Amino acid sequence: MSETHGSSSSTSLIKFLGLIIIGHLPQMSLAQDDFFNTLNVNVDNRTDSPYSLIGWVTEKVSLGLDDPGPLFSRRTSELNKIETSFFAQFDARLNDNTAFRFSGKAYHDAIYSVQDDTVFARDELNEFRSRFEVKDFYLEYKANNSTYFKVGNQILAWGLAEYLRVTDLINTEDQYTFGQQDLEDLRLQVPAVLVNFTIADWSFDSVVTFNAGRDDMAPAGDEFDQLIVLRNSGMTLLRERPDKQQEVFLRASTRLPSGDFQFVAGEFNDNELSVDGISALRSISPRVAYTQNRMRAAGMAANWVEGSWLFFGELGLHADKAVRPNKDSFLRQVNGWDQKDQLLSVLGLEYNGFQNLLLSFELDNAYTSKHDEFMLADRNQLGYGARLNWTALNERLQVLGVWNDRGDKLGRIARLSVDYSYSDNLVLGLLWVDYSVKEESIFYDFRNNDVLQLQLRYNFQI
């Protein structure tokens, strides 16, 4: 897919942050560890060292259990990954109220050298053979009046649901594969400015993102290439940048006697690509232009605790969502996909009354107003997910099982992972993922991507 875009504003942001950091290096000190929530710099919890460096090296060897089929580069059951990755995270305190974090991850997949009989697509080789990703790259500052600022590449996780994003709107996702990661691993950092302040018992967050991009999608030829059918039909696929690069999000949250409540609103670009228009239909290669649809959303989320039970729920209205047409209507929507309003709802619970065992269940629904026969999805898209998390051997052994049914038009994913901490530094892991979908599902082409993966991870800290 070709792309049309100008210079990235995130590049300018990184250069700006770099100049600030260089000017403060003599005053470095430790930053905070938890970057999944809105953080305040805690000047009382200092360590002896003014900085810290943590990281890990991971080796993954994966076997594709089925034959993906003739559409993909890999067409038979064989090894599909021999990936070595290196992650490092550096934290420093620049002064009493200012902290800095930088993290990045480098990958190299040797499968493209080992499986020399497989003819891999050029895009797949360029994307996955060797790559580097900037993860966190931000400054955080706490003013004396308790106002908190955070500027740079960051994750802002606001939602409670695992399988449906209702109020968790900000970060893009890693969709190189489907269902092989938890939500906390799916989120990708985006360049943003966060301002947080408190009034009485309420905490208020405002976020502006710049050129945040879209979800990461597998390249052409890969076994999770979401556009594989259109590519093989001879269509020319284009990606056009959204008209507006800035996104705005607001949140008000408070703590209840037995839980938490938050209200979220935002105007943003949909992180999923949708068709903006189709041209040259009479030619041998019709042109399909993809873009990120501009959306608005407002929603609320709450959780509360009763003994060993945790209950949570979310409710949100997503306006102007571009909805996918069915196969017969795809080429008829030459002016782009229809936009509909959707009401999203989530009900969930967790139970931790068993020793070393956590059970959770989530029920999701997406209701589309003004539904018509041209849509692929039903008026009500009902799905559910269940999770089992069990630890043993003084928490050195962890077993995680997930079952996610994404509705009749999407399919089911089952995932089982077993991790054993041989020592504080060395972790061994096993992952199995199974896909089950019907022919009308948009994931039907990926039904034969069941995988068995071995993992070895070495952690370090300086």
Side-chain angles (χ1 to χ4, degrees):
M1 180 186 296
S2 61
E3 300 186 9
T4 58
H5 59 274
S7 61
S8 171
S9 60
S10 60
T11 302
S12 300
L13 179 60
I14 290 175
K15 291 180 179 178
F16 173 71
L17 285 174
L19 292 175
I20 296 177
I21 293 158
I22 293 173
H24 286 81
L25 280 177
Q27 309 174 61
M28 292 189 299
S29 182
L30 181 65
Q32 298 171 343
D33 293 330
D34 184 3
F35 53 86
F36 285 109
N37 298 304
T38 301
L39 304 178
N40 294 320
V41 178
N42 190 344
V43 297
D44 297 325
N45 292 337
R46 300 182 183 180
T47 62
D48 294 333
S49 175
Y51 57 87
S52 72
L53 177 65
I54 65 171
W56 50 81
V57 179
T58 306
E59 184 70 28
K60 295 180 179 179
V61 178
S62 176
L63 173 66
L65 299 177
D66 297 315
D67 301 341
L71 295 177
F72 305 95
S73 298
R74 181 179 72 86
R75 302 181 178 184
T76 61
S77 174
E78 60 186 13
L79 291 177
N80 63 354
K81 180 184 295 185
I82 308 177
E83 181 187 84
T84 304
S85 62
F86 174 76
F87 173 84
Q89 175 181 294
F90 175 74
D91 289 296
R93 183 174 297 280
L94 308 181
N95 56 47
D96 287 345
N97 295 332
T98 309
F100 162 70
R101 168 171 289 178
F102 174 77
S103 64
K105 193 171 185 179
Y107 306 79
H108 177 72
D109 197 339
I111 194 66
Y112 302 105
S113 299
V114 173
Q115 298 288 22
D116 51 6
D117 292 337
T118 302
V119 181
F120 293 102
R122 182 182 62 181
D123 289 348
E124 188 177 6
L125 289 169
N126 292 339
E127 182 78 16
F128 288 149
R129 185 197 294 273
S130 297
R131 57 193 171 104
F132 175 76
E133 297 175 347
V134 174
K135 296 294 188 180
D136 292 306
F137 188 29
Y138 62 75
L139 285 170
E140 53 183 351
Y141 173 75
K142 181 179 180 181
N144 291 331
N145 61 359
S146 298
T147 302
Y148 172 76
F149 302 88
K150 190 175 181 182
V151 182
N153 236 34
Q154 56 188 288
I155 285 179
L156 295 156
W158 286 0
L160 302 174
E162 168 107 19
Y163 309 104
L164 184 65
R165 297 185 69 167
V166 180
T167 60
D168 185 13
L169 305 173
I170 301 177
N171 295 97
T172 58
E173 290 187 355
D174 177 355
Q175 290 192 354
Y176 284 140
T177 61
F178 297 129
Q180 297 186 18
Q181 296 169 310
D182 286 325
L183 183 58
E184 57 266 25
D185 298 320
L186 282 174
R187 293 187 184 96
L188 299 174
Q189 289 81 352
V190 295
V193 176
L194 164 71
V195 179
N196 169 265
F197 59 94
T198 58
I199 299 177
D201 295 331
W202 286 84
S203 175
F204 297 90
D205 298 283
S206 62
V207 175
V208 178
T209 70
F210 304 93
N211 195 20
R214 59 176 173 86
D215 295 338
D216 282 354
M217 295 170 55
D222 184 79
E223 56 206 69
F224 284 99
D225 177 7
Q226 299 182 35
L227 304 173
I228 191 70
V229 174
L230 295 180
R231 298 187 206 276
N232 282 272
S233 65
M235 295 185 182
T236 299
L237 307 182
L238 306 172
R239 182 203 164 196
E240 298 184 358
R241 294 176 66 83
D243 295 333
K244 296 181 180 180
Q245 294 299 322
Q246 287 74 32
E247 303 170 307
V248 180
F249 305 90
L250 302 172
R251 178 175 72 163
S253 57
T254 188
R255 189 171 294 275
L256 304 173
S258 299
D260 303 280
F261 173 83
Q262 66 175 8
F263 176 81
V264 173
E267 181 179 341
F268 53 95
N269 298 320
D270 192 350
N271 292 328
E272 298 180 359
L273 290 179
S274 59
V275 173
D276 187 50
I278 304 175
S279 59
L281 277 175
R282 297 175 181 243
S283 69
I284 61 173
S285 182
R287 297 165 62 89
V288 181
Y290 280 87
T291 190
Q292 292 173 255
N293 185 54
R294 191 72 173 181
M295 294 180 56
R296 292 166 290 117
M300 62 186 72
N303 61 27
W304 62 99
V305 178
E306 294 288 345
S308 299
W309 294 90
L310 169 68
F311 302 90
F312 62 91
E314 295 194 48
L315 181 67
L317 175 65
H318 289 200
D320 302 325
K321 170 70 175 178
V323 295
R324 184 183 298 270
N326 56 43
K327 294 180 181 179
D328 295 334
S329 303
F330 185 88
L331 292 177
R332 298 177 184 176
Q333 298 191 357
V334 295
N335 295 321
W337 290 355
D338 291 337
Q339 297 178 10
K340 308 280 188 179
D341 295 343
Q342 291 187 330
L343 183 66
L344 309 181
S345 56
V346 173
L347 287 175
L349 56 88
E350 291 185 357
Y351 180 72
N352 63 358
F354 301 111
Q355 184 176 9
N356 300 330
L357 178 63
L358 177 65
L359 300 174
S360 63
F361 179 81
E362 178 180 315
L363 185 65
D364 307 322
N365 188 67
Y367 170 82
T368 303
S369 66
K370 298 182 180 179
H371 185 276
D372 56 54
E373 69 273 15
F374 305 110
M375 284 183 56
L376 174 66
D378 296 330
R379 184 187 303 273
N380 282 289
Q381 304 170 60
L382 184 65
Y384 65 87
R387 171 191 292 265
L388 176 152
N389 191 341
W390 177 70
T391 59
L393 303 178
N394 198 23
E395 297 188 352
R396 288 192 175 274
L397 178 66
Q398 181 183 34
V399 178
L400 176 63
V402 176
W403 177 269
N404 181 207
D405 189 316
R406 306 188 65 177
D408 291 339
K409 297 296 178 65
L410 292 177
R412 296 186 298 273
I413 300 173
R415 184 175 79 246
L416 177 67
S417 63
V418 181
D419 294 296
Y420 176 70
S421 298
Y422 181 78
S423 66
D424 292 339
N425 301 104
L426 190 63
V427 181
L428 309 176
L430 174 69
L431 171 69
W432 169 75
V433 181
D434 178 80
Y435 300 91
S436 176
V437 295
K438 296 181 180 180
E439 187 172 357
E440 63 270 22
S441 170
I442 61 174
F443 299 120
Y444 182 72
D445 295 317
F446 317 115
R447 65 193 182 282
N448 296 323
N449 287 346
D450 300 351
V451 68
L452 183 66
Q453 177 178 284
L454 296 176
Q455 175 176 308
L456 178 67
R457 173 168 154 172
Y458 177 78
N459 305 309
F460 64 87
Q461 181 173 0
I462 299 176

